[in-house]
Amino acid sequence: MIVELGHLALCIALVASVIQSTIPIWGAANGAPAAMRVADTAAQVQFLGTALAFAALTWAFVVSDFSVMTVAANSHSAKPMLYKVSGVWANHEGSMLLWVLMLALFGVLISLFGGVIPVVMRANVLAVQAMIGAGFYLFILLTSNPFERLATAPIDGQGMNPLLQDPGVAFHPPLLYLGYVGFSTAFSFAVAALITGRVDPAWARWMRPWVLLAWSGLTAGIALGSWWAYYELGWGGFWFWDPVENASFMPWLIGTALLHSAIVVEKRNALLKWTILLAILTFSLSLIGTFLVRSGILTSVHAFATDPERGAFILLLLSIAIGGALTLFAWRAPRLLDGGVFGIWSRETGLLVNNLLLASACGVVFVGTLYPLVLELINGARISVGAPYFNKTFLPIFGVAMLAAGVGPFLAWKRANRREALRRTLLCSLLALLVTAGIAFWLGLGDGVGLLGAFIAAFLMVATLQDYARRIGLPRVGPATALRRAAGLPAAAYGLYLGHAGLAIAAAGVIAVSVWSAEAIQTVQQGSATRVGPYEFTLEGIRNTTGPNYQTSIARVTVTRQGDVVAELAPERRWYPVERQPTTEAGIRTLWHGDLYAVLGDPDGTGGYVTRYYYNPGVPWMWTGALLITFSALISLLDRRLRVGAPSARRATSAAQPAE
């Protein structure tokens, strides 16, 4: 009965989304306040219906109701409770329900906390949100019903992919969807701006908090997915340039450009059309990622569906959404007035350069990801585009973007002092060069590419610290005055500094592990030692035991350096009898400068085991930097300026009149 109520609630959410997408937008066009306010009520009803549907499916997984096809295909009574719950979204049908739940969540949050937004703008924003939702509700109900019953329920379920039975991947999809789907708000604000003809600093302030929230969620989701791949898949790496990985990375890149561009709109009322285009493209790339995962054209541990009919439905939805938004942009954008002017040497120009570099980097990833798929569809030819292409094309562009991120804060708005900006850039370059040279001499490093990357990371960190020191008055003022100034800085400033510092730290970690890691793959007998970089790994023994729903062999590996024991690692090789699949669990010891990493492979039949040992320098910095970047957006959300911007009553009245 609960399952049927969930199905009914989903149908009610569809009806609410249709009402929300029609009546408010009609009211906005005809100046009918009562009709516009329907958007808030409908958004709340839509969220309630979707939340009830999601709760009903979760209940079915928790109680192991195998009469529900989705539960029978993706769960098992012996699974731990955490993975019964995460199994709700570890499949196509349930993950699509999570997708629309996130969409409805952002809609209801705008209705509840968007009081500063004029009613005509809010009505249009929520109407566009509902149009997206209506399409995906139809997709779920017509092609991917999570509540479909089986005529005869099996005794037990088929279980879940063992690779997904992990705490990291349990939380990875919700965070990823927070970003993926959250960017729908930027899309809705952009389309609403094109409809009303209003793009100004207030519009940027209304949109930016939602973009920050989505960007923070996507950052955390990407980092958590990378962390899971690092310790769960057992290959010692953290990024494979897999098409589905790239599908999440592309909206992150354009979303980063959007955040910076929105600042220019808010501060200087410039780059208006460009910002609207970025808002449309960011969510468009999220929709393209959804298509890649669910169209059946990719085979990946990340991919959910292999049904081409579902892919065709999503292709139709994204064609309508992207094509309609771009057509509206082509029609309405020329009527929007350009905002403030600025000089070549200005912060506006710096942020524009940042945007162009990030867009170029995204273009490189887009071509490398989509070209092989398009080529295969055209003539059946299969080519592989992997790390060599991305490393030679993406990394140089992104490296320049990091340098630009360090220089940007040196430039004043509208017109900067070129001599002062060059002086500060030169000073930071010299300090970064000294840091890089010191590291190279102390550690005996000689790889030119690695040292260049280390210089870029050091430059961004030095530039960030130097700009912060200048802003609080150091060294011109005393410590007490500097502390008072530091306390008076807005939260958005701390978000900027934390984000740039986090990027520098993460980049340093990526460079270190990519260039200076050491590995050894071999078959060893118990008691045998293997040298990896400055460390010795010794396989001491193997013990067999059982877990909640698996059998496992656990190794004991001792790691020493110059005879001193540094760590004991416990890599595992698990066997899941229900799914009849093996997995590996890496043994990892994290030190301040890197990870000691061991993987246990197959036995060789003579008492030996295949083992893989790694020393991965810089990995802790990579995760620390990603965490700082995630929190930088959340700290920026605390800025009171993002909670103001409500027009006066007179301006609100005039804004309620649709633009010609």
Side-chain angles (χ1 to χ4, degrees), residues 163-466:
L163 290 175
L164 304 180
Q165 297 184 40
D166 180 85
V169 80
F171 298 104
H172 162 62
L175 287 171
L176 204 62
Y177 283 18
L178 182 67
Y180 256 161
V181 185
F183 281 133
S184 64
T185 56
F187 180 89
S188 298
F189 271 100
V191 173
L194 291 172
I195 293 172
T196 61
R198 177 173 184 176
V199 186
D200 56 18
W203 172 83
R205 283 196 296 272
W206 300 328
M207 178 183 69
R208 201 149 71 93
W210 309 105
V211 178
L212 280 167
L213 181 59
W215 186 82
S216 176
L218 186 58
T219 304
I222 292 173
L224 192 58
S226 179
W227 181 54
W228 165 77
Y230 174 70
Y231 72 79
E232 178 68 22
L233 299 184
W235 57 288
F238 59 92
W239 193 262
F240 193 64
W241 294 108
D242 179 279
V244 181
E245 292 175 337
N246 296 347
S248 65
F249 191 41
M250 289 186 290
W252 185 88
L253 289 169
I254 297 297
T256 304
L258 173 61
L259 280 176
H260 290 80
S261 182
I263 294 173
V264 180
V265 177
E266 182 182 347
K267 297 287 188 182
R268 295 287 303 137
N269 197 28
L271 303 183
L272 309 180
K273 299 171 187 177
W274 173 247
T275 302
I276 288 179
L277 181 60
L278 286 177
I280 293 172
L281 292 179
T282 301
F283 185 60
S284 296
L285 289 169
S286 295
L287 290 176
I288 290 172
T290 301
F291 170 72
L292 289 176
V293 173
R294 302 172 193 282
S295 62
I297 63 176
L298 292 178
T299 301
S300 167
V301 69
H302 307 86
F304 285 113
T306 57
D307 185 353
E309 292 183 4
R310 290 174 174 173
F313 198 115
I314 295 180
L315 184 60
L316 176 63
L317 287 179
L318 69 89
S319 298
I320 293 172
I322 299 173
L326 292 177
T327 300
L328 181 62
F329 177 79
W331 175 41
R332 297 286 285 174
R335 305 185 187 185
L336 298 175
L337 297 177
D338 289 324
V341 296
F342 50 88
I344 294 296
W345 287 87
S346 64
R347 185 167 297 189
E348 292 94 326
T349 298
L351 290 171
L352 179 59
V353 170
N354 160 281
N355 274 215
L356 294 175
L357 289 169
L358 289 172
S360 299
C362 181
V364 165
V365 178
F366 184 86
V367 171
T369 303
L370 273 295
Y371 177 73
L373 304 176
V374 173
L375 185 64
E376 184 177 353
L377 289 174
I378 292 174
N379 59 18
R382 293 193 174 187
I383 64 171
S384 176
V385 176
Y389 162 81
F390 292 105
N391 291 343
K392 291 178 180 179
T393 54
F394 171 83
L395 292 182
I397 298 173
F398 196 76
V400 176
M402 288 181 60
L403 291 174
V407 174
F410 298 165
L411 303 172
W413 292 106
K414 194 174 181 179
R415 185 172 289 105
N417 184 325
R418 180 172 58 179
R419 187 183 299 274
E420 176 65 13
L422 289 175
R423 185 190 67 80
R424 294 173 63 187
T425 301
L426 180 60
L427 176 61
C428 290
S429 298
L430 291 174
L431 290 174
L433 191 61
L434 288 175
V435 170
T436 306
I439 292 173
F441 178 77
W442 181 40
L443 299 178
L445 304 175
D447 186 279
V449 174
L451 292 176
L452 176 60
F455 168 79
I456 293 173
F459 176 83
L460 179 55
M461 177 60 79
V462 170
T464 300
L465 294 174
Q466 194 264 4

Side-chain angles (χ1 to χ4, degrees), residues 526-538:
Q526 296 185 39
S528 299
T530 304
R531 176 161 290 279
V532 183
Y535 297 95
E536 271 199 352
F537 290 68
T538 303

